[in-house]
Amino acid sequence: MLKPKSLKINSLYGVIDKAFNLVSGFILLPFVLHKIGADLYGIWIIFISVTGYFTLAQFGVSASFKKYIAEDIELREFHIMRNFICTAFYFLCLVTAVLVLCAMLFSQPVFKFLLQKESELIPAASRWFVWFLFASILTIINEIFSSVPQGFQRFDITSLTSIISRFVYIIVVIISMLKGYLIEGLIASVFISNICNLILNLIICKHVFPMFSLSPVFISLTQFKRMFSFGLKVQVTLITSWVIYNIDKLIISKMYGSESVTIYEIGARLVLTFREFPYVLFLVLMPYFSNLNAKKDKAALLSTCIRSTRYLTILCSLFAVVVYPLAPNILHLWIGPDVNGLSVYILKVLLIGSTIQLVTGVSSSVLKGIGKPEIETIANVILASLNVVLSFTFVKLFGIKGAAVGTTLSMMIGGTLLMCLTARQLKVPVLAYLNQIFTVPVLFSVILIFLVQSLCFVFKINMELNRYISAAYAVSATVITILFYHRIGFIDLKKLRLS
């Protein structure tokens, strides 16, 4: 039996894995963009968005893997765990077959709707999408097997397999681009790396869990009902998450074309990349909260929730005060001097909403861990509904800029609501909870950014033209932020007042 690692160690390995994946993707983006062009790269982003919609057909079942496998391990019910894994595998194989068939039948009408500005690319895009969908679904199947070592609290193992697979992806992407395969090469990269990861996790799963078997005799209707009932609870959340992070791009594609999607994606990517780092913490916390919930240790659950959320607010505050004033410099350094000014604007606007909404990630892990995912659904339905209405309205009024504004407003409202609902579940006074978590970071970030922008205006300092001043500001802002939160003891829960 595997010896579990601590929460800190698991988080560290998860951060290393996520950092490697995100940084490599961040570096690859300009290379790929310059090889395939803005229009094809926009289509690639549309592929990712539409695939997310298709994979909703698994009814949220994948969301149950980490929770129930962790609980079965904690309760030493390994025969139930074996049946659960087997049932999940065959269910997802069936879903894969159905989705690929649907893609073959309906991809052309979908892309006729989304690519009206590039009608000549519709036949090729429809064909490419079928293969991309199949390659991407392997990621969901792989979640079953990666959940086993994670259930044993061994995220170091899955982090290593992920990094190896990412190396494979990078190598195939570079070779494909240099050989001129373009979109076909990107699809091949996803497929080959996912197959590599799947094989590695199957081997590890068999090694750490001797009872592991994919024999159909272990398919269990009871386990299917178990995962399906939980999946249905989070299905609305998954749908709303898809809406929140994809509907703006699809609206832009429909109204302005795939090249505009690329402009928007460049501005949004830095925020989305940063957003992925704390999700390592969320992945580690959900099985951790599930274990605490199984032990009925409410005090430890509440303490971990508050402390994790406060760490996250510090991280978001630091990111905001560094990136907002330096947004033009960052995009120029990353993409090149010809980056579109709209991308800078989109980055700044999405930065506001994303950092606020990101803080709610711990709340999401808590609600899933205690078996109350429907609470998150309420906030996310409101968020997604607002996002559709506001994004469409503002895009009609202000063009691409409007999509960023609509998305940010909906994130701010939905994120705050989720924090309020979580506080009620934890039996903590809502206003006191929000005050202790939000007030100091928001005021500190706003004041520091305002002071920097004012000083630059008064003294006519253009940080965009002076890299040394920009670097000095980034270092200074980081040091000031860390010293400030350390000085006021923001992480010390002894100073917490929730009454």
Side-chain angles (χ1 to χ4, degrees):
M1 197 68 65
L2 285 176
K3 184 179 180 181
K5 299 286 186 181
S6 69
L7 181 60
K8 289 182 179 179
I9 295 298
N10 281 327
S11 298
L12 175 62
Y13 278 108
V15 168
I16 293 171
D17 172 27
K18 185 63 70 174
F20 179 76
N21 283 304
L22 293 177
V23 171
S24 62
F26 201 72
I27 295 171
L28 276 177
L29 190 151
F31 171 72
V32 173
L33 178 60
H34 291 142
K35 287 292 182 180
I36 70 176
D39 52 349
L40 285 182
Y41 189 79
I43 291 174
W44 179 252
I45 298 302
I46 295 168
F47 281 176
I48 296 172
S49 297
V50 177
T51 296
Y53 177 77
F54 270 73
T55 54
L56 292 172
Q58 44 106 359
F59 296 103
V61 165
S62 61
S64 69
F65 299 159
K66 291 180 176 61
K67 173 177 170 59
Y68 287 125
I69 288 176
E71 288 186 359
D72 289 342
I73 290 172
E74 180 66 30
L75 300 173
R76 296 294 188 266
E77 294 178 337
F78 295 114
H79 63 290
I80 294 178
M81 177 175 156
R82 176 198 59 203
N83 297 349
F84 180 90
I85 292 171
C86 184
T87 305
F89 174 74
Y90 283 104
F91 171 73
L92 288 184
C93 286
L94 177 62
V95 169
T96 300
V98 172
L99 287 179
V100 170
L101 178 61
C102 289
M104 294 172 67
L105 295 174
F106 301 114
S107 60
Q108 189 143 349
V110 168
F111 286 100
K112 277 184 179 179
F113 177 77
L114 292 174
L115 298 177
Q116 291 181 357
K117 302 286 185 180
E118 297 96 356
S119 57
E120 72 281 359
L121 293 173
I122 291 173
S126 303
R127 183 176 66 255
W128 293 331
F129 176 72
V130 175
W131 290 104
F132 178 73
L133 177 67
F134 176 70
S136 299
I137 291 176
L138 294 175
T139 303
I140 301 176
I141 296 176
N142 186 54
E143 287 184 26
I144 305 170
F145 309 114
S146 64
S147 296
V148 173
Q150 288 177 359
F152 283 104
Q153 300 297 313
R154 290 298 301 268
F155 283 73
D156 55 321
I157 296 174
T158 51
S159 295
L160 179 60
T161 61
S162 175
I163 290 172
I164 292 172
S165 302
R166 186 65 179 182
F167 264 119
V168 172
Y169 173 82
I170 293 169
I171 292 169
V172 178
V173 166
I174 293 173
I175 293 174
S176 300
M177 292 299 104
L178 294 177
K179 294 289 185 179
Y181 290 115
L182 307 182
I183 291 286
E184 295 93 336
L186 291 175
I187 295 171
S189 304
V190 173
F191 178 77
I192 294 171
S193 63
N194 281 345
I195 286 290
C196 175
N197 203 13
L198 184 61
I199 292 172
L200 288 172
N201 279 313
L202 274 169
I203 295 171
I204 292 167
C205 193
K206 182 65 177 177
H207 177 72
V208 304
F209 180 43
M211 291 180 66
F212 171 75
S213 173
L214 293 179
S215 172
V217 299
F218 295 118
I219 295 176
S220 167
L221 181 60
T222 301
Q223 295 308 311
F224 176 75
K225 290 179 179 178
R226 184 190 187 197
M227 70 178 72
F228 199 75
S229 62
F230 184 86
L232 286 178
K233 291 179 181 179
V234 301
Q235 177 70 350
V236 176
T237 297
L238 295 174
I239 293 172
T240 54
S241 294
W242 178 83
V243 171
I244 293 164
Y245 296 108
N246 294 280
I247 198 66
D248 45 4
K249 299 168 190 173
L250 299 184
I251 291 173
I252 291 170
S253 173
K254 168 69 175 174
M255 299 178 68
Y256 296 99
S258 60
E259 187 172 348
S260 295
V261 174
T262 298
I263 293 172
Y264 188 87
E265 174 68 12
I266 289 171
R269 176 57 69 91
L270 180 63
V271 174
L272 294 176
T273 299
F274 169 74
R275 182 178 170 272
E276 290 296 322
F277 279 97
Y279 270 80
V280 175
L281 174 65
F282 307 152
L283 290 175
V284 173
L285 283 176
M286 201 186 85
Y288 187 78
F289 285 137
S290 294
N291 289 342
L292 291 177
N293 189 56
K295 295 175 183 177
K296 302 187 184 303
D297 192 345
K298 301 297 182 183
L301 194 151
L302 176 60
S303 174
T304 305
C305 172
I306 295 174
R307 188 180 298 276
S308 301
T309 304
R310 283 193 154 196
Y311 273 118
L312 197 54
T313 56
I314 293 175
L315 185 63
C316 290
S317 174
L318 174 60
F319 184 71
V321 299
V322 171
V323 171
Y324 192 93
L326 300 180
N329 309 60
I330 294 170
L331 292 187
H332 288 171
L333 181 64
W334 177 37
I335 301 297
D338 57 342
V339 67
N340 195 299
L342 284 174
S343 296
V344 177
Y345 176 88
I346 290 163
L347 168 57
K348 287 186 172 184
V349 173
L350 289 179
L351 177 65
I352 300 169
S354 295
T355 49
I356 291 177
Q357 206 244 349
L358 181 58
V359 174
T360 67
V362 176
S363 298
S364 175
S365 296
V366 169
L367 294 172
K368 289 186 178 75
I370 65 176
K372 296 281 188 177
E374 65 274 12
I375 303 298
E376 182 184 12
T377 300
I378 297 172
N380 282 342
V381 167
I382 294 173
L383 197 165
S385 301
L386 283 172
N387 195 21
V388 172
V389 174
L390 294 177
S391 293
F392 183 78
T393 301
F394 287 132
V395 167
K396 292 281 285 185
L397 293 174
F398 308 113
I400 301 176
K401 291 181 178 181
V405 174
T407 299
T408 288
L409 289 175
S410 61
M411 283 180 172
M412 293 171 66
I413 296 170
T416 303
L417 178 60
L418 180 60
M419 294 290 286
C420 294
L421 294 173
T422 303
R424 291 177 65 87
Q425 284 297 311
L426 296 175
K427 297 181 172 28
V428 175
V430 173
L431 291 178
Y433 184 71
L434 292 177
N435 178 56
Q436 290 290 334
I437 291 174
F438 275 131
T439 302
V440 172
V442 170
L443 287 176
F444 171 78
S445 302
V446 170
I447 291 172
L448 184 56
I449 291 172
F450 176 77
L451 286 174
V452 171
Q453 300 286 68
S454 298
L455 288 172
C456 289
F457 177 78
V458 171
F459 294 101
K460 295 181 172 55
I461 300 172
N462 189 344
M463 287 197 290
E464 186 175 344
L465 299 177
N466 196 318
R467 292 184 179 182
Y468 295 106
I469 293 178
S470 300
Y473 168 73
V475 173
S476 301
T478 301
V479 172
I480 291 170
T481 301
I482 294 172
L483 291 177
F484 172 78
Y485 286 112
H486 176 72
R487 182 68 181 85
I488 66 172
F490 192 64
I491 297 302
D492 187 358
L493 295 188
K494 294 178 182 178
K495 299 181 180 180
L496 190 68
R497 294 186 180 88
L498 294 173
S499 58

